[in-house]
Every structure is written in C-alpha cells, then in structure tokens.
C-alpha cells in the first residue's frame, strides 16, 4: 500500500480522512502544527502502526521534503480555518494559505507526487448568482474587509496549483469545500453547527447572527472524505476544480430551530447583529449553494447522509 501524506491531518476533516484511509489499509503520515488541529482528534489512531504523526508546520521546507519524498499521494488540508481566524489573525492566515501551499506544490512537483488541494466556497466571494459553478466569477468586497482575504488566498492557491499542472505536469486536483459538518468539528473558529449544538446542549441561548435568513448547505464529513479519496484516485480529475458539499439549502434560523428540537433543548434563539460579533467591517454571504453536476458526472457523487442524520450524530457524541 502507498504512503499517503495529509497536511492538517489533526483537524476536523483531516482526522476523518485519516480514519478512512487507515481502514482501507493505507499508511498515513500527518503533518500538523496543532495551531487549530487537536491531538484529541487523532488520539484514537495513534495505536495503529500505519499511522504517523509529525508535529510541525508545513512552512518547514526541510521537513516537508523528507515527508513528500517518501509519499505517493498528498491531501493538502492544512490552512487557516474559519471566518473568525481570518478576521483575528489576517497575516498568519494569509501566509499559511499562500506560502504553505507553495511549499507543498513546489516539492510535490520535484518528486512528481499527485496533490489534492482543498480550497473553499469562499473563493466565490459575494457572487449572488446561485448555484455556483466552478467556472463562475469570483466577486470580492473591499480590501478593508478582512473576510475577503480568505477567498483571495484560496483563489491564489488554486491559480498556483493550476499553473503547476500546466507548466510542470504536476498531477493536481482542486476541491472547493462548502460547509462541512460532523463530529469533532470545533466551534472555536466561528463554525455555526458546533456552536449551536454546544449552546443547545448546555441550555444557553442559541446565537443567530444577523436576521437568520441567510442560507447555507451543510454536508456530512463522511460523504466529503469518501469523495476526496475518489477524486485523488481519478485520473480524469487531474487539472480540474470541483465543488463539493451539499446543495440542500437551509436558513440559519431554521438550523437553530432544528438543532434545538433534535437536542431537546430549552435554549432561547436570539439574534445578534453581525457588528457585535465581527466588528464594523464585516460582510456575510446571504446565500451559498454549489452546483454539483461536475463532480456528480465524474465520480457519481451524491451525498448520502441527510442534515438531520448528521446533526443527530453530532448531538449524540455531545
Ligand atoms: N453564524 C451564526 N451563529 C454562530 C456562527 C455563525 O448565526 O454562532 C452564521 C454566520 O453568520 C453565517 C452562517 O452562520 O451566516 C455560517 O457561518 P460559518 O462561519 O459556519 O460558515 P460560513 O459563513 O463560512 O459559510
């Protein structure tokens, strides 16, 4: 079995991906500096002899070269996480997203190791032409609004990866993740589902930002990690970009109500102005929905787990 490198493998999605690859008998190497990843996410994997954890930043070129040289595939997940992180730490976020990805691509090209780059639905910015198709325009707000820096950095990563594909023949595939949820996701970086669930389970108010009419589509991490593995193994995916997530929209207000119900909670649902949470220079996306026909046509992708099932699973893990 091939050795596989997962950057950011101690994060929420990374840890589920490790689990799945180990189940398939693969040998997995994780590099993670634990800036947002957590040891507890991978603690249960450490007894597996085919699992190797290296606590290090992906900005350490030397370490990265040692790792990439011996691996046959790379899932590049290490990145700044969440809206809150880019607002609180713009410099660190931008540098890890840009320089980190450059290091991965440069060394991967030297040893011709295929790379799956995880990008984000943030690259579409505030385009409101729904649903988003991979070739659509990206629309960013003012440079003074930190939020758009995230989409810009991920968009640059995509550009870089495509350039390595075109000019260096590096086999790459780019995946734009839409809102992913599941057990082990942290609410510390702004993600809505774990925050609402924690609030509901502790009987504290469920804090909906804005009027709650904004919508998102939530996909379960199991469906997402299955698709990531299929994509890296699919030669026809090389040099291509794919949306990945769910296309079933729900308002954030309805999400709060659903979580309250499923958690059998007495929490109040309260509405908080964006400015109170993210400061004066914040813009939210009113709606965000992917067109999934490209990934469906190529690998037959169809999310299997409903939002309700996914939320129940997270609530039960408490
Ligand atoms: N949100 C909320 N309460 C929270 C966290 C987020 O109402 O405690 C809202 C947020 O303003 C956004 C939606 O939920 O409209 C999804 O936020 P998240 O940060 O999870 O993802 P993204 O905005 O990147 O899609």
């Amino acid at each position: 079995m091939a050795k596989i490198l997962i950057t950011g493998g101690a994060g929420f999605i990374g840890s589920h991906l490790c689990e799945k690859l180990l189940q398939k008998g693969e040998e997995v190497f994780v590099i993670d500096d634990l800036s947002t990843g957590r040891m507890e996410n991978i603690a249960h994997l450490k007894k597996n002899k085919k699992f190797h954890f290296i606590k290090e930043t992906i900005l350490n070129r030397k370490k990265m070269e040692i790792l990439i040289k011996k691996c046959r595939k790379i899932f590049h997940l290490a990145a700044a996480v969440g809206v809150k992180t880019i607002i609180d730490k713009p410099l660190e976020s931008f540098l890890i997203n840009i320089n980190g990805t450059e290091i991965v691509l440069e060394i991967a090209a030297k040893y011709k190791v295929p790379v799956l780059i995880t990008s984000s639905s943030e690259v579409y910015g505030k385009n409101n032409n729904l649903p988003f198709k991979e070739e659509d325009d990206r629309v960013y707000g003012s440079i003074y609004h930190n939020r758009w820096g995230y989409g810009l950095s991920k968009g640059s990563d995509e550009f870089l990866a495509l350039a390595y594909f075109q000019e260096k023949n590096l086999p790459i595939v780019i995946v734009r993740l839409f809102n992913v949820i599941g057990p082990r996701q942290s609410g510390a970086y702004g993600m809505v589902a774990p925050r609402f669930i924690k609030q509901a389970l502790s009987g504290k108010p469920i804090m909906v930002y804005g009027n709650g009419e904004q919508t998102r589509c939530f996909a379960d991490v199991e469906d997402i990690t299955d698709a990531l593995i299929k994509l890296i193994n699919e030669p026809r995916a090389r040099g291509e970009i794919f949306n990945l997530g769910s296309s079933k929209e729900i308002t954030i207000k309805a999400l709060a109500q659903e979580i309250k119900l499923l958690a059998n909670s007495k929490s109040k649902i309260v509405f908080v102005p964006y400015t109170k949470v993210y400061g004066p220079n914040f813009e939210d996306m009113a709606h965000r929905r992917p067109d999934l026909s490209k990934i469906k046509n190529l690998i037959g992708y169809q999310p299997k787990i409903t939002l309700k099932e996914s939320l129940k699973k997270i609530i039960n893990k408490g």
Side-chain angles (χ1 to χ4, degrees):
M1 282 288 175
K3 293 182 166 77
I4 298 176
L5 177 63
I6 306 181
T7 71
F12 155 56
I13 300 176
S15 68
H16 285 273
L17 185 60
C18 290
E19 221 168 77
K20 206 149 267 182
L21 291 167
L22 289 167
Q23 273 162 18
K24 290 181 189 290
E26 308 276 14
E27 185 162 7
V28 175
F29 290 78
V30 162
I31 182 162
D32 198 306
D33 65 359
L34 300 182
S35 51
T36 54
R38 293 179 295 178
M39 277 315 281
E40 64 200 74
N41 287 348
I42 50 168
H44 62 296
L45 305 174
K46 288 190 93 180
K47 55 182 181 292
N48 191 322
K49 284 199 172 61
K50 288 186 165 178
F51 180 74
H52 312 274
F53 173 69
I54 298 101
K55 183 181 175 302
E56 188 54 79
T57 166
I58 56 166
L59 299 176
N60 183 336
R61 201 178 281 268
K62 237 177 161 175
K63 196 84 196 175
M64 286 296 279
E65 181 146 5
I66 295 168
L67 281 169
I68 290 176
K69 210 165 147 178
K70 64 179 167 202
C71 286
R72 300 283 298 280
K73 286 173 205 166
I74 304 168
F75 289 94
H76 176 43
L77 274 69
V81 173
V83 172
K84 200 171 156 5
T85 309
I86 191 82
I87 289 171
D88 294 345
K89 295 181 178 170
L91 183 61
E92 203 179 305
S93 305
F94 207 77
L95 291 183
I96 192 81
N97 286 7
I98 304 268
N99 296 357
T101 303
E102 232 258 284
I103 288 171
V104 170
L105 290 168
E106 186 199 318
I107 303 169
K110 185 167 165 191
Y111 297 99
K112 289 272 175 283
V113 186
V115 190
L116 181 145
I117 301 273
T118 47
S119 182
S120 162
S121 54
E122 280 280 326
V123 297
Y124 292 103
K126 52 181 176 178
N127 185 339
N128 49 21
N129 220 345
L130 293 159
F132 299 147
K133 278 179 92 78
E134 287 83 354
E135 68 272 23
D136 282 354
D137 287 346
R138 297 162 299 164
V139 184
Y140 298 130
S142 164
I143 192 71
Y144 293 110
H145 294 186
N146 277 358
R147 182 200 185 122
W148 307 120
Y150 196 82
L152 274 170
S153 68
K154 285 292 187 177
S156 306
D157 286 350
E158 292 187 359
F159 187 82
L160 205 58
L162 290 175
Y164 268 97
F165 175 74
Q166 282 161 24
E167 293 187 34
K168 309 267 183 196
N169 291 320
L170 175 66
I172 59 98
V173 52
I174 298 165
V175 184
R176 289 181 183 158
L177 296 175
F178 283 66
N179 298 66
V180 183
I181 59 169
R184 302 202 284 268
Q185 184 175 35
S186 163
Y189 312 104
M191 272 71 163
V192 67
R195 293 174 74 84
F196 281 4
I197 289 170
K198 198 171 171 191
Q199 289 158 353
L201 289 175
S202 60
K204 294 200 175 120
I206 300 178
M207 313 281 260
V208 173
Y209 302 160
N211 64 9
E213 293 304 321
Q214 70 271 34
T215 61
R216 294 292 187 273
C217 305
F218 296 92
D220 189 275
V221 69
E222 294 295 331
D223 283 325
I224 298 306
T225 45
D226 280 343
L228 294 180
I229 295 170
K230 277 192 188 149
L231 280 177
I232 208 169
N233 292 326
E234 172 54 67
R236 289 173 301 162
R238 294 188 172 163
E240 296 287 342
I241 301 181
F242 296 90
N243 287 337
L244 177 57
S246 154
S247 53
K248 209 160 183 301
E249 246 175 319
I250 182 170
T251 67
I252 297 302
K253 188 165 119 191
L255 179 74
Q257 287 160 343
E258 179 81 352
I259 288 174
K260 184 177 158 164
L261 196 74
L262 292 173
N264 204 6
S265 165
K266 293 200 165 44
S267 292
K268 276 196 192 128
I269 297 176
V270 300
F271 296 86
V272 194
Y274 286 114
T275 46
K276 275 220 165 136
V277 193
Y278 292 126
N281 286 331
F282 183 76
E283 284 178 274
D284 199 10
M285 248 87 77
H287 307 287
R288 174 184 264 176
R289 177 161 49 94
D291 182 316
L292 296 171
S293 39
K294 187 170 175 186
I295 191 165
K296 206 175 195 170
N297 290 340
L298 189 71
I299 60 165
Y301 172 75
Q302 182 69 49
K304 293 190 190 81
I305 303 168
T306 64
L307 175 59
K308 198 169 174 174
E309 285 164 351
S310 189
L311 292 173
K312 271 192 195 162
K313 201 167 56 165
I314 309 168
I315 290 167
N316 290 338
K317 298 226 161 134

